[in-house]
Structure formats: C-alpha cells, structure tokens
Amino acid sequence: MMEQVALPIVITGHVDHGKSTLIGRLLYDTGVLKEDRFQEIILTSSELGKTTEFAFVLDALEEERERGITIDTTQIYFQTEKRKYVIIDAPGHKEFLRNMITGASYAEAAVLIIDANEGMREQTKRHAYLLSMVGIRDICVVINKMDLVNFSKEVYDKTAADITAFLAPLSIVPKLFIPISALNGINITKRDPLISWYDGLPLTDALDSLEHKAFEKRPFRFPIQDVYKINGQRVIAGRVESGEATKGMPLFILPTGKKTTIKEIKKFLKEDVTVASYGESIGLIMFHNPKLQRGDILTGTNDAIVTHSFDANIFWFYGEYNLNDIIEIKCTTEESIGKMIIHEKFDPATMDKKTEGLDHLEIGEVARVTISTVKSLVIDPFSYIPEMGRFIIEKNGIPVGGGIVV
Ligand code: GDP
C-alpha cells in the first residue's frame, strides 16, 4: 500500500553538479511530468533559444509558478509505487537552516550530488556540514555525470572514498552511494547496462528503502498545551508530537516522573475514540485526575531527557547575542529563561570555523553551544524525535534564534 504522507527530502550539492537536472529527471521518469508537457517545455525552451535540457524543466515550472499556473517549486512532489516524496528547499537556500530549526519545513533524508568529473567542491562540503548540524542522518550520495568519465568504476570508487573520509568526522555515514547520469536517466528509476559493474539499487528504489521516521514506532510524546475543567474532570489538551496513545495506556508525567493512565481520549466531533496518532490534536482524561499544567510532558516511555543543561546547534537570526545575556528558551509548550556558552561558531556563507569572538553572535551565525536553563526541560535529541528536540530562542519576547538538541 502506498504511504499517504510524503517523505520530505532535500537535494543538495555544489552548483552545476546537476541538482536541477536530477529533479527534472525524477519528475519525468516517475511520470509526474507527462510526455506532452515535457515536449511543450522543450519546444518553448528551444524557441527561446535555450538549450533543451532537463534542468530547464525547473526554470519552466518556476516561470509558470510566477504566472500562477502550476506548482510551487519550493514543494515539488513525485511518487514511486511505495510512497510520495516532497523535495523541499535546499541547504543552499538561506532559509534552509531557519526552516529546519523552526519546523517550517523539515527534511528527513538528503541526496548529496557530486559531479564525478569534478569531485567534492566547497559547496559539497558546506552542505554536508549543514546537514550534520541539523541532524539529518539519512544521506544518499549520488555520483553524477558518470557519462563524462566513461562510466569508470575507478573514478566512482575514488569519489566515494573521498566523501566518506570527509563525512566521517561529522559522524555522517551515508546510507547509500549510487553512480548516476541525471542527464541520461541512468540509475534514476532504472539501472543501465552502461554501468553493469554497479549491482545496487537505482535512486528511487534506494529512497524507497529508507524508513519514513514519522511512521516508525516512536515513543509517545504529548506536550500539554492547556488543562480545562469540564464537569469536575480535567481535560488535558495538546498535540501528539510523536508515537500514539491508546485508551488505558500507562504514561509518565515529566518532569516529575509520576505515573498515570489514560481513561479517555477526546477528539473533536468523534465518539468512542481508542487511539490517537502522531500529529493529532486531542484531549486526554486521566484516571484519578492528576494535577497537570501547561509545559508538562506526557510520555509513553521514561527515556525523555529531563535536564537543566544541554548541548545544541543553534542558528542566530535576529539582533545580537553577548555573553551573559539572558535568553528565553521555548521548546514545544515548555519555557524557561537561561544562559548559553558558545564553544564554536561558523560563518554561514563559508562554514569556516571562527576561533575568535566566542563571546557574541551576530545575525546568520551558526554555533555549537551549551544552554543552561533555570527550569528543567523535558527534551529529546533532534535526531531521535525532531519535534521534541527543536527550540526557539527569544530575547525580550522577540524570536532571535533557534536550535536543535544534539
Ligand atoms: P545545478 O546547478 O546543480 O542545478 O546543476 P544543473 O542541473 O543545472 O546542471 C549543470 C549542468 O550539468 C547542465 O548543463 C546539465 O545539463 C549538466 N548535467 C547534469 N547532469 C549531467 C549528466 O549526468 N551528464 C552530463 N554530461 N551533464 C550533466
């Protein structure tokens, strides 16, 4: 059965290594872009004196979008037999970090594209760095333009070895390596005799082999938004941020660690509800009406972290930060004031590490920090449960940065 919710991916790599061509190919080879539409695009592009190639598909869609005709190119969908995919904005975009951190858009997996003829370049490295900063672990490395290197296994092996060596210190172990030619449609949806030495999967099948984390059995997490008293009973309102809840299920109340059990699940306009799943907004009634408040977290397992101090990667997007500034941390429905120590920071354009000025941050800077809070917070590493591992930093009530728990 096909999964209904699209798996969000990013396609990233150095300029000209073939991102647009790959996207055009994916749309064409998976049948999203119909043959007659494609012929139309080719015709228009040649009339405009442009080269007719797959990279132009994206430009054409972009132009049509601007004229309000077709899809939004920041959210491109394609689908295989197994599931839908949505390609979201890439790390090259300045908004990528901010979107990932604030949850505005979120990628579960990344395709890192490298031109076989050129090998790793500085954007390849920078994007790999950003992927590691935001905790994306499912990375497929595609080595493109294999036609330009005579489909050489030696070139492919060397490029794969180079990128593996570069990613290792970032704790990234790519899930898959695939030799492709985006332009010629080799190893995109099907294999090709020209690369007979490759016995792995083509890209779409390889993506299908990745787990869709939102559907994995993850532990239940329920940050409490509000508590209402209705007919003497407390109804606990919130959104299921991970896993699922069933009637009669035992839960932990964090940060205290006390235990409780679900008596009833309430959903808007529904009777006799027994299960609530990831993403649903619900009300819960517990046996014995325990005292609960906004900011408490109900969990199915007792493995969430309750702490006053945690390490994070942050992105500063407004104003300045100076050592000893009081910051406000907002994570799901929890809030606390706190302070932060900067261990390392990076220039966002180059990802060069800065060894000086670790007592302040400016707009656009990315940093590895330790945050200490006055109240204890209930959190999870972003790579385990993204919804519980991202937070916003405010100063005087104004959002100034965001981060992920590492
Ligand atoms: P982007 O900047 O990463 O989006 O790269 P593009 O998709 O625009 O591709 C840059 C150039 O590389 C274009 O001229 C493409 O036609 C070319 N290109 C992309 N994939 C291949 C390939 O597999 N083989 C060859 N020979 N050229 C390719």
Side-chain angles (χ1 to χ4, degrees):
M1 204 184 75
M2 202 176 78
E3 285 175 10
Q4 292 306 308
V5 180
L7 184 125
I9 61 172
V10 289
I11 295 182
T12 166
H14 195 76
V15 61
D16 279 347
H17 281 196
K19 292 182 294 297
S20 313
T21 309
L22 176 60
I23 294 171
R25 253 298 167 193
L26 279 168
L27 296 179
Y28 184 66
D29 288 6
T30 59
V32 175
L33 185 69
K34 300 281 180 266
E35 183 61 35
D36 51 345
R37 274 294 282 120
F38 181 58
Q39 293 304 336
E40 249 174 62
I41 288 174
I42 287 190
L43 199 68
T44 334
S45 62
S46 62
E47 276 167 7
L48 293 173
K50 297 188 187 177
T51 41
T52 56
E53 51 171 318
F54 279 97
F56 186 68
V57 168
L58 267 197
D59 295 347
L61 293 176
E62 178 70 31
E63 279 168 21
E64 294 189 349
R65 185 183 70 86
E66 276 164 14
R67 287 185 286 131
I69 299 172
T70 48
I71 55 171
D72 180 357
T73 44
T74 58
Q75 297 266 305
I76 298 174
Y77 288 86
F78 68 94
Q79 74 183 55
T80 62
E81 269 168 34
K82 180 166 180 198
R83 60 165 77 111
K84 285 189 194 155
Y85 292 87
V86 53
I87 304 173
I88 65 163
D89 61 356
H93 285 193
K94 59 183 183 306
E95 294 298 324
F96 173 76
L97 266 180
R98 188 184 177 137
N99 287 348
M100 275 293 283
I101 280 168
T102 56
S105 68
Y106 163 63
E108 269 190 34
V111 175
L112 185 59
I113 189 167
I114 305 173
D115 182 333
N117 209 20
E118 283 205 0
M120 257 193 313
R121 296 288 300 276
E122 96 246 9
Q123 284 165 16
T124 321
K125 295 182 180 175
R126 192 183 313 151
H127 294 174
Y129 222 115
L130 292 173
L131 295 176
S132 87
M133 294 288 283
V134 295
I136 298 179
R137 290 283 171 270
D138 280 349
I139 296 182
C140 276
V141 175
V142 293
I143 296 171
N144 188 30
K145 308 197 190 178
M146 287 301 295
D147 54 302
L148 294 183
V149 296
N150 253 326
F151 305 102
S152 154
K153 183 171 184 317
E154 284 68 37
V155 174
Y156 168 77
D157 286 342
K158 182 175 181 312
T159 314
D162 285 350
I163 187 85
T164 305
F166 174 75
L167 295 176
L170 303 177
S171 310
I172 297 180
V173 181
K175 286 265 155 76
L176 302 147
F177 287 92
I178 309 172
I180 66 164
S181 171
L183 194 62
N184 300 294
I186 296 177
N187 278 336
I188 308 303
T189 53
K190 54 187 186 305
R191 290 176 42 190
D192 192 287
L194 284 167
I195 315 188
S196 56
W197 48 262
Y198 173 74
D199 57 8
L201 298 169
L203 179 60
T204 47
D205 292 349
L207 291 172
D208 282 350
S209 75
L210 299 174
E211 276 168 301
H212 192 166
K213 298 220 177 53
F215 291 101
E216 259 179 60
K217 279 282 172 214
R218 296 185 305 167
F220 178 66
R221 298 287 189 263
F222 189 73
I224 296 176
Q225 276 165 15
D226 272 304
V227 180
Y228 303 100
K229 263 212 161 142
I230 301 174
N231 301 333
Q233 279 187 316
R234 291 200 181 92
V235 179
I236 299 137
R239 203 179 95 110
V240 181
E241 295 293 0
S242 167
E244 64 177 32
T246 49
K247 206 169 156 173
M249 180 167 150
L251 297 178
F252 296 92
I253 303 169
L254 296 178
T256 61
K258 286 189 185 137
K259 291 181 183 171
T260 180
T261 304
I262 300 176
K263 186 177 167 198
E264 277 178 57
I265 300 173
K266 298 280 185 197
K267 287 187 199 171
F268 189 59
L269 295 179
K270 292 214 173 112
E271 300 286 322
D272 300 324
V273 179
T274 53
V275 185
S277 313
Y278 168 70
E280 287 188 294
S281 291
I282 56 167
L284 290 176
I285 297 173
M286 315 305 291
F287 282 107
H288 308 302
N289 265 338
K291 231 182 164 193
L292 292 163
Q293 59 184 357
R294 181 183 165 88
D296 287 345
I297 313 285
L298 296 175
T299 69
T301 51
N302 203 4
D303 60 346
I305 300 162
V306 181
T307 184
H308 285 275
S309 171
F310 59 93
D311 292 337
N313 293 332
I314 66 157
F315 176 54
W316 199 260
F317 50 70
Y318 185 80
E320 270 191 16
Y321 169 81
N322 290 298
L323 191 69
N324 293 325
D325 279 357
I326 303 284
I327 51 176
E328 297 134 34
I329 304 294
K330 295 197 168 172
C331 180
T332 64
T333 57
E334 306 170 273
E335 287 178 31
S336 176
I337 58 169
K339 285 195 174 183
M340 143 176 119
I341 301 170
I342 303 166
H343 304 297
E344 290 181 337
K345 66 176 187 176
F346 302 88
D347 181 314
T350 59
M351 277 321 268
D352 287 339
K353 199 184 283 187
K354 296 183 184 172
T355 47
E356 294 190 354
L358 294 184
D359 56 352
H360 74 276
L361 286 176
E362 284 165 32
I363 292 181
E365 284 184 327
V366 174
R368 292 191 193 280
V369 302
T370 299
I371 291 177
S372 312
T373 54
V374 172
K375 270 177 56 183
S376 61
L377 296 179
V378 182
I379 52 175
D380 286 289
F382 183 83
S383 56
Y384 183 43
I385 304 182
E387 296 80 357
M388 293 288 296
R390 65 161 80 91
F391 57 88
I392 295 291
I393 305 173
E394 297 190 347
K395 266 173 74 177
N396 305 317
I398 297 164
V400 288
I404 61 160
V405 177
V406 294

